[in-house]
Amino acid sequence: MRTPVPPIVYRPTRSAPATLLALLLLIVGGLGTWLTAYRFLTGDWPQRTVTMLGEVGAASLGSIAVLVAAGIAAAFGFFLLIAALWPGRPKHVAFLPDDIHGQTALHRSDLAILVKRHVEQLATIRSASATVRRSRVDVVVFSDAEDLDAVREAASKRTNEALEIFQPVGITHGRVRAKRVS
């Protein structure tokens, strides 16, 4: 019995919430380590820490400072939760779907390069740039031709041809802009 092959196209890790939580824990851990080392070396807690902990201990739960700190902590926690649950954009996109078992994937920047090269084959285009978004390919063509609308339409046709050839999954259309260069 064969084990199933994991798909090539996968969602990226949740690096933003993990990084924020790691920085928060690093700051708290560093402060705790410094306080502990100070206590071991001198035998007393730092005076500033004793004063601050006394003020924090004397604060009531209804005070403005405690409510503001609780609100900031709740907003930060809510942000981390939303960032962890929000689906990330896959770095790879499946393309050339067929009946053969398995998956063919391509990095989004490589797909942009393929579409760009396909569009640059037009004689009226001096250069082009392409970017792959969630469901479209954005192409900017640079030309010195007088009729930019005709250049844009020809580049749009070439972009659609490239998308028909490669058939990237989830990318439905292209958007083309033409700019004049001298």
Side-chain angles (χ1 to χ4, degrees), residues 12-23 80 83-84 91:
T13 60
R14 303 290 173 232
S15 59
T19 303
L20 289 174
L21 186 59
L23 286 174
L80 287 177
K91 293 180 181 177

Side-chain angles (χ1 to χ4, degrees), residues 25 36 38 50 55 60 74 81-83 86 93 116 119-120 125 127 144 147 169 179:
L25 292 176
T36 304
Y38 189 90
V50 172
E55 290 175 5
S60 68
L81 180 66
I82 293 297
W86 194 271
V93 61
K116 177 184 130 179
V119 170
E120 282 180 336
I125 293 177
S127 66
D144 52 3
D147 189 10
V169 175
K179 292 186 178 182

Side-chain angles (χ1 to χ4, degrees), residues 92-167:
H92 294 85
V93 61
F95 76 110
L96 296 175
D98 51 16
D99 295 334
I100 300 172
H101 183 68
Q103 188 178 31
T104 306
L106 186 65
H107 199 276
R108 287 180 174 270
S109 62
D110 293 335
L111 178 64
I113 290 170
L114 288 173
V115 171
K116 177 184 130 179
R117 298 278 190 256
H118 199 76
V119 170
E120 282 180 336
Q121 292 176 358
L122 291 170
T124 57
I125 293 177
R126 185 176 283 184
S127 66
S129 68
T131 307
V132 177
R133 302 286 181 208
R134 279 199 184 272
S135 63
R136 72 172 190 259
V137 177
D138 289 336
V139 179
V140 179
V141 294
F142 300 96
S143 175
D144 52 3
E146 292 296 321
D147 189 10
L148 286 181
D149 288 334
V151 171
R152 187 188 57 76
E153 287 180 22
S156 180
K157 182 179 176 188
R158 294 294 288 195
T159 301
N160 291 334
E161 286 175 7
L163 291 177
E164 287 175 12
I165 291 170
F166 301 121
Q167 301 172 1

